[in-house]
Structures are given as C-alpha cells and as structure tokens.
Amino acid sequence: MSKTDKNQVPLLDLQAQYRSIKKEIDEVLSRVVESQYFILSPEVSALEKEISEYTDVSYAAGVASGTDAIILALKAAGIGPGDKVITTPFTFFATAESISVLGATPVFVDIEPGSFNINPDLIEELLRTSNIEDRKSIKAIIPVHLYGQCANMERIMDIAQKYGLKVIEDCAQAIGATRKGRKAGSFGTAGCLSFFPSKNLGGFGDGGMVVSADEAFIARVKRLRVHGSKEQYVHEEIGYNSRLDSLQAAILRVKLRKLDSWLDGRRVVAKRYDEALDGLPLRTPKVDDGNAHTYHQYTITTDKRDELMKCLNDKGIGARVYYPIPMHLQPCYKGMGYKAGSFPVSEDVSKKALSLPVYPELTGDKIEYIIDTVRGFFR
Ligand SMILES: *Cc1c(COP(=O)(O)O)cnc(C)c1O
C-alpha cells in the first residue's frame, strides 16, 4: 500500500463495503426497477419479516427514517401534548426531537460515565422525588443504546413496570447488540431502528423500522405510516406519509445477510484498539457486563480531545465528535430551565469523547497507522 493510501482513513468507508457486495446489490436494484413497484412492496414485507426474526421481536413496520420510527412508536404508545418522556441528554438530536414534535416534553436524565447510556439510578431518583402532578405526566422512557451497546434494560424495565411507563428503545445505533443474550429492541414496548447509510445496517438513503412484540401496536404504526388509514381512502386517524421504499428494502435485505459478520469485523477492530491504546492517557470504551457491543462507534475519552482530533484529522484520519452539545444545552431547548451543570456527566463526556474510524474493512496498515498516530500524539 502506498503512503497516500494509508494517509487517508475515513471514519467509515462505505465504498469498500459496496465493492464487496456490488454484484448482489446491482441484481436486486435492477429487479426492483424492472418491477416498478416502489412503495410498500413485497420487498418491504420480506424485510419486515427478516428484521423481526433477526431482532427476535414478532412484528415489524418499515418507515421512512429512524426519526420517524421513534415518532410513530411514541404516537402509537399514546404520547401526545402535555405528556413527558424521560430520555438521555447525550444522544443524537432525533431522540429528543421526536418527543417534542408530538407536543410532549423530554425530561432529561444524566448518563453513566462508563457506558455513556442513561443512568437507571437517576431515573429512579427523578421519579421518586417528582411531585404527583409531574409524575402523572411522565408516560414513557426512551433509552438510547448509544454507540452500539445496550442500556441497562433490566433496571429500566423494572422501573418502567413499577411506575407504569412505556419503554421505546432507540436502537438506531445498535441493531444486533445483545444484553444477556437478548437483542436490542426486544425489551421494551417497541424498538426503533435507523437505516441511515452510515448506521451498522444502512441503506442507500433514509429508512427505518419499528419492531414490537405487540401485534396491535405494529398495526397502529402501519396505519400511521399511510395517513392513518388501514383501508384506502378511509382515515381512522391523522397520520403521516412515512413509508419505506422497495429499493431500500431490497438493498437492506442483501446487507442483513452480512450484518453479523460485519459486526464481528467491527469487534476485531475494537479489540485491536483496546489492546494497542491501553496505558495511554485516554479511556477506551467500557463494555457493560452481559453486553455484546456492536461498535457503531469506537469512542474514547481524553482530556486532550480537541488537540488529538486535530492531530488525527491533519494526518488524514477521520476522527469525529459524537456529540459535542448535549440536548439540554441546545438552543431550541433554552426555555426549559436547564443550564450548564444540570447534567455533569453528559457535559463532561461531550468535551472528551472522540470516535475513531471503525468498520470491518479497516485492517492491516490502516489501523496500525491510526494506532501509531494516537501513540505518537501522546509521546
Ligand atoms: C441516527 C439516529 C437517529 C435517527 O435516525 P435517522 O434514520 O437518521 O432519522 C435517532 N437516534 C439515534 C441515537 C441515532 O443515532
């Protein structure tokens, strides 16, 4: 490999992935184009069945994006104006936004420093100490399985049961992740997947899916995605236009067959980083007991985050920050009464987190180049 090759290591290399499956993808693309059946075709139903098998959840509904999956799942769970939904401030904006677009209010609870996922002790404390009025308006919890490892779902489900709350899992980054052998998306009322191109299972555009063990719940999501109608031109409720298209479904069906081997490939890269970065003044990702991490991101924390990122970027390495501004400090949530210091762990991690390139095709010289560059920075 030439020097210029290894000096360009993107955060994710989707072209390499496409090259490895080009023949199969090109075949299904032409199959769908020949059929001229583009919306909610048998491809979509087939993908729904395959994803429900993959996630060990009985029913699934394809929708237009991961964001819509959360919105439609919240709506199907009965969330609306005046309701409150507990979630993490350390996530991609779509999690909190989905709550807000329904007229409900996100109630943030800080994360655990190890896993970066929502802290169940703090959820419990919030519910225990809130007044009756507030507690009554809290209707659901959205745990986010951040970077590809499950939140503490045993504790979260116990708390939800105790307080009568729905649980909508944001699995956008965590398809295939398991906790004590159970798949992400199989714990709560529903699980929400994203097929955004850069996710571990990504399409050639936007896409998403809701999975649930509750048949009636998925029937409602399927109604909501087509303008609130079950029968054409009969609208039982106000819905959305949020459908998964056949081209995406056909592509995703090809990729789903490779997913487990790709997740294994990510774990190999993560293991190499874990070993090679040990002993440096940074913290490598902590995997919670019982979790099989899927490394959507390999995220380290270090006090020298900004300097390290600049050094890596200058040397052609696509390291990036997920996420620099916690939700409670977003301009659009200014009026909510949160301030700097409200969620110290999230704020601290937002200043220290740095995601390194991780994907199955990241092998040999390229990963060693990244490791050498990180080591060189701290020397
Ligand atoms: C990507 C993502 C979403 C949104 O998914 P889209 O398909 O981009 O709408 C929601 N939550 C989290 C945690 C995500 O990473």
Side-chain angles (χ1 to χ4, degrees), residues 65-67 70 91-92 94-95 144 170 172-173 194 196 199 206-207 323:
S65 69
T67 307
I70 306 171
T91 178
F92 177 61
T95 317
V144 178
D170 181 340
Q173 302 187 2
S194 165
F196 185 80
K199 299 292 158 88
D206 279 310
Y323 296 91

Side-chain angles (χ1 to χ4, degrees), residues 9-14 88-95 111-117 144-148 172-173 194 196-200 266 283 285 293 295-302 305-306 309 312-313 317-327 330 345-359:
V9 192
L11 187 66
L12 180 63
D13 189 351
L14 288 173
T88 165
F90 193 66
T91 178
F92 177 61
F93 182 62
T95 317
I111 57 171
E112 305 170 328
S115 68
F116 311 125
N117 282 323
V144 178
H145 305 311
L146 200 72
Y147 302 149
Q173 302 187 2
S194 165
F196 185 80
S198 67
K199 299 292 158 88
N200 284 8
R266 286 173 178 271
R283 220 189 59 193
H293 203 313
Y295 296 101
H296 173 59
Q297 299 296 343
Y298 184 93
T299 304
I300 60 171
T301 50
T302 165
R305 191 267 309 275
D306 293 339
M309 180 164 68
L312 294 172
N313 291 169
I317 297 165
R320 273 188 64 176
V321 177
Y322 297 102
Y323 296 91
I325 308 174
M327 295 307 108
Q330 292 294 337
V345 182
S346 296
E347 290 167 33
D348 186 57
V349 176
S350 71
K351 294 185 186 93
K352 294 180 179 165
L354 185 65
S355 296
L356 302 179
V358 58
Y359 42 92

Side-chain angles (χ1 to χ4, degrees), residues 19-37:
R19 281 194 295 273
S20 75
I21 51 173
K22 181 172 164 41
K23 197 165 160 285
E24 289 155 273
I25 293 283
D26 293 356
E27 269 168 29
V28 299
L29 288 178
S30 80
R31 183 173 81 211
V32 173
V33 172
E34 289 291 335
S35 80
Q36 289 289 301
Y37 193 166

Side-chain angles (χ1 to χ4, degrees), residues 129-141:
T129 57
S130 56
N131 65 39
I132 292 182
E133 210 54 3
D134 279 346
R135 200 197 301 164
K136 272 208 215 133
S137 58
I138 296 174
K139 299 285 168 59
I141 307 174

